Amino acid sequence: MKKILIGLLCLVSAGVMAAPKLDFGDRFAFAGLESAKLVPPTGSEILERKVPVRDMEHRPVKDAIYVYNSDAPGAITVEQLNAYVAQVYAAAKAASNDGKVYKEPAYGDTKLAGELTAPKVYEKAYGTLKCLIKHGDRWYSIHAGYGPDYGGSVWVKELPEKFYCWKIYVREYFIEE
């Protein structure tokens, strides 16, 4: 019996050790963001879209990464989400020319909406940080968080009808200065 339990423990340990380490490369370097600081605390794989969001040759510059986590709600804790949002906020602040992070204006608005002095603290295990930074001579909108998404023909891999993932989306934003 002891040998069976030890064997099972070894299998479980090997499975945990073999879990893929997510690597975003330099996908968000165009906005001055250290991609390694945007990697979420959980997730099994980076999902690929049939039509990528990435557009590096035309304005606006943008890229997105989706990290599959689970097909069941409740796979992360509120503490994990809040820690991740704080991590992304710190990365945005470090990438910003002036060390400041700004609130994202209402859709289509080109005026700054004020400084975001701290990341939002969530009470449920889903939500998205939305903010702006200026890096170099361009403004960038950053959306990073956790929530549901839906399978279908947009994904390379077949996915459940509803699943939960981390989303990191960065795009150029036009602000009148």
Side-chain angles (χ1 to χ4, degrees):
M1 186 67 159
K2 270 187 177 179
K3 287 182 182 181
I4 292 172
L5 288 175
I6 291 172
L8 285 173
L9 184 58
C10 288
L11 282 173
V12 169
S13 296
V16 169
M17 298 294 255
K21 180 167 172 47
L22 301 174
D23 182 3
F24 293 175
D26 65 352
R27 297 261 304 256
F28 300 108
F30 65 89
L33 295 161
E34 266 187 75
S35 295
K37 292 182 179 178
L38 303 179
V39 175
T42 63
S44 58
E45 66 181 300
I46 296 172
L47 298 175
E48 288 186 58
R49 295 174 62 92
K50 287 182 180 172
V51 177
V53 172
R54 186 178 195 126
D55 180 358
M56 304 306 274
E57 296 183 20
H58 301 93
R59 291 182 79 170
V61 177
K62 59 187 170 185
D63 205 349
I65 292 179
Y66 300 83
V67 177
Y68 181 84
N69 197 62
S70 173
D71 61 354
I76 69 160
T77 65
V78 174
E79 293 78 18
Q80 285 174 310
L81 175 62
N82 286 325
Y84 180 66
V85 166
Q87 171 185 319
V88 172
Y89 177 84
K93 198 169 184 170
S96 176
N97 289 350
D98 60 3
K100 294 180 181 178
V101 177
Y102 297 89
K103 297 174 187 173
E104 185 173 83
Y107 182 76
D109 197 351
T110 58
K111 305 272 189 239
L112 281 179
E115 186 178 350
L116 186 63
T117 57
K120 182 176 178 178
V121 175
Y122 295 91
E123 295 179 14
K124 296 184 179 180
Y126 56 87
T128 302
L129 170 71
K130 295 179 181 181
C131 63
L132 286 178
I133 62 167
K134 185 171 187 182
H135 178 74
D137 62 346
R138 294 183 181 181
W139 286 91
Y140 294 97
S141 168
I142 302 165
H143 292 194
Y146 185 82
D149 214 312
Y150 301 90
S153 62
V154 300
W155 305 103
V156 170
K157 176 181 176 178
E158 186 153 335
L159 293 162
E161 185 177 326
K162 184 177 183 180
F163 62 93
Y164 295 83
C165 66
W166 297 95
K167 300 169 193 166
I168 305 93
Y169 184 82
V170 180
R171 68 182 169 101
E172 188 173 355
Y173 199 94
F174 299 100
I175 292 290
E176 293 176 16
E177 293 184 76

